[in-house]
Amino acid sequence: MPRKVKVSDLVEEFHLEVICGEGGLKRPITVADLYRPGLVMAGFYEFHPTERVQILGKTELTFFDGLSSEERMIRMRKLSEPQDTPCILISRGLDVPIELLAAANDFQIPVLRTKVSTTILASRITGFLENKLAPSTTIHGVLVDVYGIGMLISGSSGIGKSETALELVKRGHRLIADDAVEIRQTADHILNGNAPELIRHLLEIRGVGIINVMTLFGAGAVRNVKKISVVVKLETWQQEKQYDRLGLDEETTRIIDTDIPLVTIPVRPGRNLAVIIEVAAMNFRLKRMGYNAALQFTNKLTESLSEDIDDME
């Protein structure tokens, strides 16, 4: 479930000035969308998304200045009375109308102000709220950046995920998270993974212990956040199981609400998992560019068989 952000978090993050309504700073913000209530200023109340942060810029306040004293009070009370409205934000350092101050004090709604322009402010706050309110989960696994592709390595405990990640780091790739991967899903169904603060840049190798990858291999061997493009599942080799040998069967796995391509790699002595994962990353890039080796091989095989049948006839 999406988390909640308090108005006080917004004040702290963007250094906003609290004009009034300090008692409402604990109000929750539950959606990342913002609203510029120009229609409310004009007297249209049929659609008013009260659960959003309300931003008043130069356009809204200039129109508001042209209203009569009675209309000004009615509009500001209409804007301030909904209990689910988190706060009202004034941009460009503009003066706060006395009608807004009176209504905000009556309904204990925070009125905040900043000198930042309306467009830039809306963009920054939206990005901040989307990140904080995004659906999230934590998965046991290792996340590495291989040739620019975010590879989430999963599998049972002790199968070799961390050792494989260490070999990949030695080969010039980058570690994002080991053991626990925090994943957030953006509004456009992109999964971004990162490590919890406590174990960031750390890698656990059985028999050696915990190592700091950035200290050992340098800052170029780590990164903090990466988009997850492929899930690589390591599993113990099962003799009776039929594994895909051509790559025509494209499996997916679901994380939160997003389907991600899944590659299953059987593990047994003698297999170089790091090289196999490198090849899987390069093959994924080729597929995104429109080249599918398995499909091309199948097409050539079909054409060859067709020619042989024609010759026999």
Side-chain angles (χ1 to χ4, degrees):
M1 292 294 291
R3 295 166 294 172
K4 291 183 179 180
V5 179
K6 296 179 181 178
V7 175
S8 57
D9 297 328
L10 215 59
V11 173
E12 181 179 352
E13 178 71 19
F14 296 99
H15 308 289
L16 303 176
E17 177 187 1
V18 181
I19 305 297
C20 67
E22 291 85 351
L25 290 178
K26 292 185 178 180
R27 290 194 178 201
I29 303 174
T30 58
V31 295
D33 294 327
L34 310 179
Y35 186 65
R36 298 186 64 174
L39 291 175
V40 175
M41 298 293 98
F44 179 80
Y45 311 123
E46 292 299 321
F47 177 74
H48 179 204
T50 57
E51 74 282 0
R52 303 182 188 179
V53 173
Q54 312 286 309
I55 296 184
L56 294 176
K58 189 173 182 180
T59 303
E60 291 80 15
L61 292 181
T62 301
F63 175 81
F64 180 76
D65 288 340
L67 300 175
S68 66
S69 177
E70 182 180 358
E71 287 175 326
R72 288 158 63 99
M73 181 57 71
I74 292 173
R75 305 291 158 78
M76 283 306 178
R77 291 189 69 84
K78 195 70 177 179
L79 181 65
S80 304
E81 66 180 355
Q83 292 299 309
D84 58 343
T85 297
C87 61
I88 298 173
L89 185 52
I90 308 293
S91 64
R92 293 181 175 271
L94 298 169
D95 293 333
V96 182
I98 56 174
E99 294 85 359
L100 175 57
L101 291 175
N105 282 321
D106 287 346
F107 296 106
Q108 278 299 295
I109 182 170
V111 175
L112 315 174
R113 182 167 60 184
T114 179
K115 294 182 180 180
V116 179
S117 67
T118 311
T119 303
I120 295 176
L121 178 66
S123 176
R124 290 176 179 175
I125 291 180
T126 299
F128 172 76
L129 292 178
E130 282 183 347
N131 180 59
K132 291 294 184 180
L133 296 173
S136 63
T137 187
T138 300
I139 290 181
H140 176 66
V142 179
L143 181 59
V144 287
D145 178 352
V146 182
Y147 297 125
I149 305 298
M151 312 285 283
L152 176 61
I153 306 174
S154 66
S156 59
S157 181
I159 200 167
K161 299 185 295 296
S162 297
E163 290 80 359
T164 301
L166 178 60
E167 179 64 24
L168 287 168
V169 169
K170 287 183 61 180
R171 296 173 70 89
H173 306 293
R174 293 187 284 183
L175 174 74
I176 293 90
D178 176 49
D179 192 49
V181 183
E182 293 182 345
I183 301 174
R184 288 187 175 89
Q185 176 183 272
T186 65
D188 50 354
H189 288 266
I190 291 176
L191 299 176
N192 292 318
N194 63 273
E197 182 68 32
L198 182 64
I199 59 173
R200 184 168 295 168
H201 305 156
L202 301 181
L203 193 62
E204 179 194 355
I205 304 298
R206 285 177 172 80
V208 176
I210 296 175
I211 64 173
N212 190 309
V213 172
M214 186 170 71
T215 303
L216 285 176
F217 298 97
V222 297
R223 64 178 300 168
N224 292 334
V225 182
K226 181 63 182 176
K227 172 188 171 184
I228 300 174
S229 299
V230 182
V231 174
V232 178
K233 181 182 177 182
L234 303 182
E235 68 175 31
T236 304
W237 185 291
Q238 302 174 41
Q239 191 66 35
E240 68 281 358
K241 184 174 179 179
Q242 294 295 322
Y243 293 101
D244 183 19
R245 301 182 64 177
L246 294 179
L248 291 174
D249 299 330
E250 296 186 353
E251 295 182 273
T252 61
T253 185
R254 173 156 289 204
I255 300 177
I256 308 179
D257 294 322
T258 302
D259 291 325
I260 295 292
L262 172 67
V263 177
T264 301
I265 299 178
V267 178
R268 69 175 181 180
R271 301 201 87 197
N272 192 326
L273 298 179
V275 172
I276 294 173
I277 290 176
E278 280 184 332
V279 171
M282 289 187 286
N283 193 47
F284 177 78
R285 292 183 64 179
L286 282 174
K287 286 182 178 180
R288 288 202 307 189
M289 297 168 64
Y291 178 82
N292 189 322
L295 188 59
Q296 189 177 59
F297 168 75
T298 304
N299 291 337
K300 286 184 176 180
L301 180 60
T302 303
E303 291 175 3
S304 177
L305 291 174
S306 298
E307 290 175 0
D308 289 343
I309 292 174
D310 291 339
D311 292 340
M312 291 176 62
E313 291 179 351

